Amino acid sequence: MKRFISKSRAVVGAMLAAMPVLADWDPTQSGKWIQMPDTEPLRGVDVKATMPNVLADDFRCAQKGYVTNLHVWGSWLGDQLPGSPTSVVFTLSIHEDIPAGQNAGVQYSAPGRVLWYRTFQPGEYVARLYLQGIPEGWYDPRTGSYESPADNQCWQYNFAVAPSNAFFQEGTPESNKVYWLDVQAMPMNPEMQFGWKTSTN
């Protein structure tokens, strides 16, 4: 897990794709940047990404292109859904990178200026149960509280973006470029809590 700053962030499971994916994605398909969720029992952690928390993780671009699909893995605290798995508003954003050492007194890189964002309402994305029967931990970086085991289900959320509204990422194999993906969830039932799952890599 990465360090916590004012925008709580962790190494989290996410996948960005440049080629259209209709509604789902699985590990047999390609992607521009892939971080699979850590589903190892009692090792994987769900980091609270429920409003007011915002989580961010950096990713590297080595090939120019539009980001037309984003896929995020996460869990609900206590496996308590806010009605249905899609009864939640997600805000995703992509930020420029502030390299380590460029913030006074801060030794780590950080998300900078917002380059793209979109709020996805229920019905504007697809969710599926990715895996169940995996007891995993729950961490809230805002309060520092940790609970384990806290949930047993991992959900995959699939966000498709039309090329006309998609973010165009720069970067080449010779000159990689780093960006940040931010995630925030706002469940329809404010008592329910969504966590972005830590990654294996």
Side-chain angles (χ1 to χ4, degrees):
M1 188 180 305
K2 285 192 180 178
R3 51 270 165 203
F4 167 63
I5 57 174
S6 58
K7 280 191 173 183
S8 52
R9 61 183 180 168
V11 178
V12 287
M15 195 283 286
L16 293 87
M19 299 302 293
V21 178
L22 293 179
D24 207 350
W25 181 86
D26 65 65
T28 65
Q29 296 172 301
S30 63
K32 287 183 69 68
W33 181 261
I34 301 172
Q35 287 182 236
M36 295 302 297
D38 188 346
T39 56
E40 183 69 25
L42 301 178
R43 186 183 71 190
V45 178
D46 299 296
V47 185
K48 182 180 175 181
T50 307
M51 191 176 186
N53 285 15
V54 178
L55 295 188
D57 194 29
D58 52 351
F59 64 95
R60 185 176 63 252
C61 174
Q63 179 182 357
K64 294 182 180 182
Y66 288 101
V67 178
T68 56
N69 285 269
L70 300 103
H71 307 271
V72 173
W73 290 272
S75 298
W76 292 92
L77 180 61
D79 298 318
Q80 298 296 307
L81 300 174
S84 78
T86 57
S87 296
V88 54
V89 175
F90 282 98
T91 298
L92 307 182
S93 57
I94 295 176
H95 300 244
E96 66 182 5
D97 178 53
I98 301 175
Q102 288 194 10
N103 283 329
V106 178
Q107 60 179 328
Y108 303 114
S109 59
R113 181 172 57 98
V114 177
L115 303 174
W116 174 90
Y117 81 94
R118 180 171 169 190
T119 297
F120 293 85
Q121 301 291 334
E124 296 182 332
Y125 58 87
V126 175
R128 73 171 172 109
L129 183 59
Y130 180 76
L131 197 61
Q132 58 185 334
I134 48 167
E136 301 213 299
W138 177 272
Y139 175 59
D140 183 348
R142 183 176 293 272
T143 64
S145 62
Y146 178 76
E147 179 183 347
S148 180
D151 55 71
N152 296 279
Q153 298 176 339
C154 175
W155 291 85
Q156 180 178 323
Y157 286 85
N158 307 292
F159 305 90
V161 183
S164 59
N165 295 319
F167 174 68
F168 188 86
Q169 59 181 15
E170 303 285 347
T172 65
E174 298 76 26
S175 181
N176 292 184
K177 192 167 180 64
V178 174
Y179 297 100
W180 288 80
L181 174 66
D182 281 26
V183 174
Q184 184 181 59
M186 186 173 68
M188 298 292 97
N189 183 338
E191 294 184 5
M192 304 309 167
Q193 303 291 306
F194 176 80
W196 199 3
K197 191 168 290 295
T198 54
S199 176
T200 57
N201 55 325

